[in-house]
Amino acid sequence: AAIPAAAPAVAAFDRFYPLRRGLEALAAPLAALALAAALFSLFLLALGKSPAEFFAIVWKGAFGSWFSVQNTLVRAAPLFLTALCVAIPAQLGLVVIGGEGAVVLGGLGGTCAALLIAGAPAPLVWLAMGLASAAVGAFWIGLSGLLRAWRGINETIASLVLAYIGIALFNHLVEGPLRDPASLNKPSTYGIGESLMLPPLPGTQVHPGLLVGVVACVLCWVLIYRTSLGFAARVTGGNVRAAQLQGLAVARLMVFACALGGAFAGLAGAIEVAAVHGRANASLIAGYGYAGILIAFLARHNPLAIMPMAVLLGGIGAAGGLLQRRMGLPDATVLVLEGFIFLSILTSETLYGRMRWFQPRGAR
């Protein structure tokens, strides 16, 4: 967001300026969510449905009971990681939207690793699944960064095309060479077995993928805001030419950021296999990579802000079935709501640095 040129100098004499900047970062997405709710309410009224009833059911389905909360957290767990696939390259000004391909290929890579060493102790198998899926995801999304750095190809287009190629490759392998002959109605790979499934956290039905996502978000925040590498990435995102003049390895930073983001998306796929599905099949193509785009923009690419936003979107998704039963609305209705949220968030980006109250004294 654009800040008047005099703002930094004036801010030195305005002790409340950092507080107002923090409030601005909170107010803009909240205003965007309120706008999305208002627009979606008009959509519901056009369908003859009650907005109040809709949001009450969403709350009940997402957070109204302990079962609902657990369901929300299970759905949110992969979103922590897929949002990082967007947020990390965004520090360099890159818009990577192909995380869905990394998720499915990472899940397939993790499954293959587990099947190759199925007789090993479970912790060793889980480690192999994590490493294999992260490597596959890093390679797949890293290609977008490599194409941008090497040939100047737009990373948004490259990552989206690679996502479609990745899904097609996944379907070919699952329905062909890697298919379990016993999977008739839903083509799948061989199962990894009950003994290799990730156990839920004690006293809950939430799998450990949630903790992995939390740790990943915290570590990425430290990397971005507390290391020289993160500072170099943010400098590059602010002005590529200035970063080059300072001698920063811009090309390597681009490839590294994309590969790191892809590694997290691939890891999300392996966790879904080990904790939920038990094998690789079309259930992995659940839109986690695309939902991660919305979450990253909602969080303004801040890894710590990704966590509550992922829980919010996970809750909305968890309420889909209840909405279908109570209001006769299809599951896809929540996708319409997410679309309104995304449009509102993009609109809110134009407000940063332009709201008078949040500007430093002397620059208003």
Side-chain angles (χ1 to χ4, degrees), residues 19-188:
L19 174 62
R20 285 205 297 273
R21 287 287 289 169
L23 290 175
E24 181 187 35
L26 179 63
L30 289 178
L33 289 173
L35 175 61
L39 293 175
F40 188 73
S41 296
L42 295 177
F43 171 75
L44 290 174
L45 290 173
L47 295 178
K49 303 294 183 179
S50 168
E53 182 184 3
F54 176 88
F55 288 112
I57 291 176
V58 168
W59 172 261
K60 183 176 181 179
F63 308 106
S65 66
W66 177 232
F67 173 81
S68 300
V69 170
Q70 291 182 94
N71 190 22
T72 294
L73 294 177
V74 168
R75 289 174 176 267
L79 300 180
F80 283 56
L81 299 172
T82 57
L84 289 175
C85 183
V86 181
I88 295 175
Q91 307 302 321
L92 290 93
L94 303 177
V95 182
V96 173
I97 60 174
E100 189 75 4
V103 171
V104 298
L105 290 179
L108 182 61
T111 303
C112 292
L115 294 176
L116 287 174
I117 58 170
L124 182 61
V125 175
W126 295 332
L127 178 61
M129 291 182 69
L131 293 175
S133 61
V136 172
F139 170 77
W140 203 251
I141 301 299
L143 285 176
S144 300
L146 182 63
L147 291 172
R148 170 63 187 271
W150 180 41
R151 303 299 298 175
I153 297 174
N154 184 278
E155 74 284 349
T156 306
I157 297 175
S159 61
L160 184 60
V161 171
L162 284 170
Y164 286 117
I165 294 174
I167 293 172
L169 180 61
F170 173 85
N171 287 329
H172 168 73
L173 293 174
V174 170
E175 297 176 10
L178 301 180
R179 179 175 180 174
D180 177 5
S183 58
L184 301 177
N185 296 327
K186 191 173 189 177
S188 307

Side-chain angles (χ1 to χ4, degrees), residues 173-228:
L173 293 174
V174 170
E175 297 176 10
L178 301 180
R179 179 175 180 174
D180 177 5
S183 58
L184 301 177
N185 296 327
K186 191 173 189 177
S188 307
T189 62
Y190 288 94
I192 63 174
E194 288 294 330
S195 62
L196 296 179
M197 295 292 290
L198 285 171
L201 298 175
T204 73
Q205 295 300 316
V206 181
H207 59 72
L210 181 69
L211 293 182
V212 174
V214 170
V215 172
C217 287
V218 173
L219 291 179
C220 285
W221 184 87
V222 173
L223 174 67
I224 293 169
Y225 296 105
R226 292 294 184 269
T227 67
S228 58

Side-chain angles (χ1 to χ4, degrees), residues 205-289:
Q205 295 300 316
V206 181
H207 59 72
L210 181 69
L211 293 182
V212 174
V214 170
V215 172
C217 287
V218 173
L219 291 179
C220 285
W221 184 87
V222 173
L223 174 67
I224 293 169
Y225 296 105
R226 292 294 184 269
T227 67
S228 58
L229 182 63
F231 179 72
R234 287 183 285 125
V235 169
T236 303
N239 191 313
V240 174
R241 181 58 179 163
Q244 292 172 332
L245 290 175
Q246 292 297 320
L248 297 179
V250 173
R252 280 185 288 179
L253 284 171
M254 288 182 176
V255 176
F256 172 76
C258 290
L260 182 60
F264 285 123
L267 182 59
I271 291 174
E272 283 297 292
V273 169
V276 181
H277 306 297
R279 62 187 67 221
N281 53 38
S283 297
L284 284 175
I285 312 174
Y288 291 130

Side-chain angles (χ1 to χ4, degrees), residues 10 85 217 230 300 329:
V10 177
C85 183
C217 287
R300 300 199 73 226
L329 293 171

